[in-house]
Amino acid sequence: MSVTGLLLIGFLVVHLAGNLQLFSDDTGEHFNAYAEKLKSFGPLLYVAEFGLIALFVAHLALGLRVTFENRAARSQRYALDRDRGARSFASSTMVVTGVIVLVFVIVHLLDFRLREMAPDGLAAMVVRRLSEPAGALIYIVGVGALGIHLSHAFRSAMQTLGLNNTRYDVPIARAGKALAIVLGVGFAIFPLVYFSGAKGSTHSASVRAAEPGATEDVYFLGKGGASLRGFEFRGVGAIEPSHLDDVGDPRSIGREEQR
Amino acid sequence: MSSSHDTHAAHDAATSHGAHAEKKSMRLMLHVWRQRDPSAEGKFVTYKLDDVSPDMSFLEMLDVLNERLIAGGDEAIAFDHDCREGICGACSLTINGQPHGFESETTTCQIHMRRFEDGQTIYIEPFRANAFPVVKDLVVDRGAFDRIIAAGGFITARAGSAPDANALPVPQVAADAAMDAAACIGCGACVAACKNASAMLFVSAKVSHLALLPQGQAERNSRVLAMVEQMDKEGFGNCTNESECEAACPKGISVSNIARLNREYLRALASSD
Ligand code: HEM
Ligand code: SF4
Ligand code: FES
């Protein structure tokens, strides 16, 4: 559980770094080149992908087993059940946020991995998807749930692996929260930016990527085409701070004083 | 302050807040779990208790209730207790949804009724965990803890007669940490408070207090393996590191012991003996 979870976190860090390529130029060429580079590894890429799926499935299976075993350990519930505020919202919803992440990951793979590559490249596909209201919502909810999951997960894994102690507990818990915020907010920035239209000149890459005279094709890519136009109109806007609050500090729930 | 107590008023004012001015008795509405035997269906029975002294301990309040029940020809409520001074860990009760009640680092027997409000409703339930089956009413069988202790509990090596205390140096840090872990009274509140009914805090305290001391080095690896194996057999849940156990523990056992238990366990798995 802890080992698979930490390895998945390692993947996410690399994944976020890769995604940041989207912002490194206005055309999306860097990002597309990065994706091409990954593809050029050929069979190695499949090995890595298989490994990732295995980690994910193992983590999921262990997580579900733990959850069911734990429910079974107390078949007669308390009539009145009051905790002492040590639990957090995140810690008590691990299986819920985990399953949201699972659904999100399936949608995400269908979106960008299992779908046929658009002629104007991966970057354009991503921008189109994240500019749609439904796309943006799915991605924000998915990575928000991930952020909440991780805010408990890191310290929990350190405890499980015996790497925690009284001296490091507070720094480790803080590092876990920071990691959750960096990954949660980090991934959420993409849908926020593209949906709000704050950035989106990848459009020019789409146009250039298409054959001369075939510019129209860009607009025929199903829903994506429509939203590509939509996001063009939206123009430049700032990210609403209120959007960012969605992935804020998930602790502080359930503290109540009883007398 | 009411004017009918004028004569005492001057005296009260002199003795600061007048906390002892008037020992008003309290009225309570108790919902107590009654269960005839392990296989019977239990239910809450409501009792109204009218003249509870604020100076009574929680268990004395139950004693008073039981005397009334017996006087009225009813069966007394079964509850566990022994030392009544917070050191034996017998008084396993869940008071308003919290094992040992809401006061931090306090056993049920050490709670006084003055901490409750006059007229308050109190739910009293047994500890709930499949590994701690209800014997009767509020009494649960915590034999699972004894079996865990027995699984790892003694050293088979000949220890000889007691050595001179100074012959065995123990660093102060280790002595303190071991002493903190040894404060565990085996009450089971950690299991009762854990949403997974996990026994990790108890086992970690027991494993830690020996692993930290030179005397515990013999059979250090086999001990942790055997205790964890027994813990798993007893049907406790798995730890998900939510620290409710630490918050509920009347002896303030820290979850850092759980990290140590995991460390000891991995270490033992990796070693050859
Ligand atoms: C398929 C979706 C997922 C499910 C169903 C899931 C479920 C769970 C569950 C039930 C737990 C244990 C609960 C607990 O210890 O409190 C857990 C812990 C954890 N999860 Fe996930 N998770 C999922 C995805 C992820 C992902 C994508 C990551 C990594 C980025 C992750 C990282 C972790 C970590 C590090 C832990 C702590 C392990 C420990 O305490 O030993 N999980 N997860
Ligand atoms: S760790 Fe604390 S709560 Fe658990 S059995 Fe020991 S004293 Fe009781
Ligand atoms: S009766 Fe001994 S600790 Fe409460």
Side-chain angles (χ1 to χ4, degrees):
Chain A
M1 176 102 279
S2 48
V3 174
T4 51
L6 288 179
L7 290 171
L8 287 168
I9 290 176
F11 160 73
L12 287 179
V13 172
V14 177
H15 187 19
L16 179 60
N19 287 2
L20 287 172
Q21 301 267 351
L22 273 170
F23 292 153
S24 78
D25 61 356
D26 279 345
T27 59
E29 273 161 15
H30 289 178
F31 182 75
N32 287 343
Y34 169 68
E36 283 304 321
K37 179 87 187 152
L38 285 182
K39 259 196 202 136
S40 72
F41 288 119
L44 265 182
L45 180 65
Y46 286 108
V47 172
E49 283 181 336
F50 179 80
L52 262 180
I53 289 177
L55 277 181
F56 203 85
V57 170
H59 184 78
L60 174 82
L62 290 169
L64 291 178
R65 193 182 81 173
V66 161
T67 304
F68 288 124
E69 280 180 1
N70 288 350
R71 299 242 160 110
R74 176 175 290 130
S75 31
Q76 167 96 55
R77 318 238 123 219
Y78 287 104
L80 191 65
D81 201 351
R82 292 268 179 281
D83 64 46
R84 286 171 182 262
R87 306 177 72 180
S88 63
F89 174 72
S91 78
S92 45
T93 55
M94 287 303 272
V95 76
V96 178
T97 50
V99 168
I100 294 175
V101 170
L102 169 68
V103 172
F104 165 71
V105 167
I106 293 172
V107 172
H108 179 47
L109 290 178
L110 288 174
D111 275 350
F112 300 132
R113 184 68 185 85
L114 303 172
R115 242 235 225 132
E116 207 183 321
M117 173 68 80
D120 53 353
L122 190 58
M125 267 173 94
V126 171
V127 173
R128 271 196 295 277
R129 180 66 171 141
L130 297 186
S131 326
E132 291 170 25
L137 187 71
I138 290 171
Y139 279 77
I140 290 170
V141 169
V143 298
L146 177 70
I148 294 172
H149 192 84
L150 294 183
S151 73
H152 173 67
F154 185 71
R155 173 180 177 268
S156 180
M158 291 297 133
Q159 278 283 113
T160 304
L161 293 174
L163 298 174
N164 203 1
N165 62 29
T166 34
R167 183 167 347 153
Y168 294 130
D169 191 32
V170 170
I172 283 178
R174 284 199 188 132
K177 295 268 159 59
L179 181 84
I181 290 171
V182 167
L183 288 175
V185 176
F187 282 112
I189 280 183
F190 298 93
L192 288 174
V193 163
Y194 292 124
F195 180 69
S196 69
K199 191 165 164 54
S201 36
T202 312
H203 172 53
S204 55
S206 334
V207 177
R208 260 192 284 139
E211 290 298 308
T215 324
E216 293 301 311
D217 289 353
V218 178
Y219 297 94
F220 282 116
L221 296 167
K223 312 181 259 176
S227 69
L228 183 62
R229 270 199 296 270
F231 108 85
E232 251 185 326
F233 295 142
R234 235 170 265 123
V236 180
I239 306 173
E240 300 272 336
S242 58
H243 283 250
L244 286 166
D245 284 345
D246 294 353
V247 280
D249 182 7
R251 259 195 103 82
S252 86
I253 304 224
R255 266 169 222 283
E256 55 180 11
E257 208 111 56
Q258 210 197 334
R259 260 222 46 154
Chain B
M1 191 136 308
S2 86
S3 54
S4 62
H5 289 68
D6 274 350
T7 40
H8 298 291
H11 180 67
D12 287 348
T15 58
S16 73
H17 289 328
H20 301 282
E22 201 179 345
K23 282 185 185 141
K24 266 189 75 182
S25 71
M26 303 167 69
R27 285 168 308 118
L28 297 173
M29 172 85 90
L30 303 172
H31 299 289
V32 183
W33 184 261
R34 302 300 309 260
Q35 182 171 340
R36 185 168 297 280
D37 58 61
S39 53
E41 205 63 53
K43 62 172 194 302
F44 280 99
V45 177
T46 304
Y47 302 98
K48 280 195 187 129
L49 209 52
D50 270 346
D51 42 2
V52 176
S53 155
D55 290 340
M56 283 178 186
S57 76
F58 197 85
L59 297 185
E60 282 165 342
M61 182 274 292
L62 288 179
D63 291 338
V64 168
L65 174 58
N66 272 345
E67 278 165 17
R68 305 259 162 94
L69 289 177
I70 293 166
D74 287 326
E75 203 176 332
I77 298 163
F79 64 91
D80 249 342
H81 60 103
D82 188 10
C83 70
R84 298 206 177 196
E85 55 183 10
I87 55 170
C88 76
C91 50
S92 52
L93 285 184
T94 305
I95 303 168
N96 280 345
Q98 295 186 326
H100 288 304
F102 53 84
E103 261 179 85
S104 70
E105 298 197 26
T106 308
T107 53
T108 296
C109 59
Q110 295 291 292
I111 301 176
H112 290 88
M113 297 317 295
R114 65 180 88 92
R115 299 302 308 262
F116 294 86
E117 311 275 343
D118 186 20
Q120 193 173 339
T121 298
I122 306 176
Y123 280 81
I124 310 174
E125 271 184 272
F127 282 0
R128 299 226 184 264
N130 291 7
F132 290 167
V134 173
V135 176
K136 185 179 168 128
D137 297 340
L138 302 170
V139 178
V140 298
D141 177 1
R142 285 170 298 139
F145 272 11
D146 299 335
R147 291 187 289 274
I148 292 171
I149 294 294
F154 62 94
I155 291 172
T156 52
R158 279 184 66 85
S161 54
D164 178 62
N166 294 326
L168 197 59
V170 182
Q172 188 64 41
V173 183
D176 287 348
M179 193 60 210
D180 287 347
C184 167
I185 53 177
C187 66
C190 43
V191 173
C194 174
K195 70 147 195 207
N196 310 318
S198 166
M200 286 288 276
L201 192 64
F202 165 75
V203 176
S204 75
K206 297 303 171 195
V207 164
S208 288
H209 94 249
L210 289 172
L212 284 162
L213 293 174
Q215 293 92 333
Q217 296 314 301
E219 301 178 356
R220 175 176 170 185
N221 291 338
S222 55
R223 184 186 312 123
V224 63
L225 293 177
M227 290 176 80
V228 168
E229 190 190 336
Q230 188 63 37
M231 171 180 82
D232 289 342
K233 266 193 215 148
E234 298 289 350
F236 293 104
N238 309 289
C239 177
T240 55
N241 301 309
E242 303 201 55
S243 303
E244 281 293 326
C245 52
E246 177 185 87
C249 174
K251 296 295 147 185
I253 302 293
S254 158
V255 292
S256 65
N257 289 298
I258 294 182
R260 184 181 298 103
L261 169 60
N262 287 323
R263 203 149 61 227
E264 290 291 317
Y265 186 75
L266 292 173
R267 201 186 98 110
L269 279 185
S271 84
S272 54
D273 58 311

